[in-house]
Amino acid sequence: MDRAEKQELVTTLTEVFKTTSVVVVAHYSGLTVAQMSKLRRQMKAEGATVKVAKNRLAKIALEGSDVAHVASLLKGPTVIAYSDDPVAAPKVAVEFAKANDKFVILGGAMGTTALNVDGVKALATMPSLDELRAKLVGLIQAPATKLAQLTTAPAAKLARVFGAYAKQDEAA
């Protein structure tokens, strides 16, 4: 990697650390290329990204950002996962760590808040932004549905009463 490529990587990582809402740091030593590819695919499917960067360059990119406290986790072969959705990267990382014991989550950051391993796992159990939106829409629609049922119920009851009287008159 020449100097220009390193400068470009630092610039890219600096922008990532300033704009993303969550960063997860993990060790990946011992994972095969196929396993790393699978992790990348899973992250991409959820709207997250995985980067393997030299720790020294990542530490330079972290300087001055809100997540600068993550620098202490960058020791050994580390991978950085990040996403705009605060739940996407932690959720995929925790699920991948369950299936692959060589993928070890070290911690992370959400905004200015430092996360330990338990914090990342807790974040992973929360519903995603899309799930929260769906629940909110469901809550908004529920009263409208009940209101529609209440307004049509009296008419339906009346129709059944009239139907019963009509059958009674036919029988007589």
Side-chain angles (χ1 to χ4, degrees):
M1 192 181 255
D2 67 349
R3 189 174 180 90
E5 289 174 326
K6 288 178 182 179
Q7 189 67 36
E8 184 180 329
L9 179 64
V10 168
T11 305
T12 304
L13 284 175
T14 302
E15 189 62 31
V16 163
F17 293 138
K18 286 183 179 176
T19 59
T20 58
S21 60
V22 69
V23 176
V24 178
V25 179
H27 275 179
Y28 70 97
S29 181
L31 289 179
T32 64
V33 173
Q35 289 170 325
M36 279 300 287
S37 296
K38 182 179 179 182
L39 174 64
R40 290 179 197 278
R41 279 193 306 276
Q42 288 175 347
M43 286 283 188
K44 189 175 183 179
E46 294 296 322
T49 308
V50 175
K51 267 230 191 292
V52 177
K54 290 186 175 255
N55 292 338
R56 188 174 48 81
L57 297 177
K59 286 178 183 179
I60 293 169
L62 280 166
E63 290 174 5
S65 70
D66 288 342
V67 293
H69 46 79
V70 173
S72 63
L73 301 174
L74 298 174
K75 293 181 179 119
T78 55
V79 65
I80 301 167
Y82 55 89
S83 64
D84 289 330
D85 182 358
V87 178
K91 190 171 279 198
V92 174
V94 168
E95 288 300 316
F96 191 78
K98 286 179 185 174
N100 300 287
D101 58 338
K102 293 182 180 177
F103 186 78
V104 181
I105 297 172
L106 301 175
M110 186 173 84
T112 57
T113 306
L115 299 172
N116 60 7
V117 178
D118 294 329
V120 173
K121 288 180 180 176
L123 201 56
T125 60
M126 295 178 68
S128 71
L129 203 53
D130 290 337
E131 290 171 6
L132 287 174
R133 286 181 183 142
K135 285 181 182 180
L136 186 62
V137 167
L139 288 173
I140 291 171
Q141 284 180 339
T145 306
K146 287 199 187 277
L147 186 62
Q149 289 172 348
L150 288 174
T151 56
T152 57
K157 286 181 182 176
L158 265 168
R160 279 187 291 239
V161 168
F162 289 143
Y165 278 126
K167 285 182 184 175
Q168 194 176 27
D169 287 341
E170 288 174 13

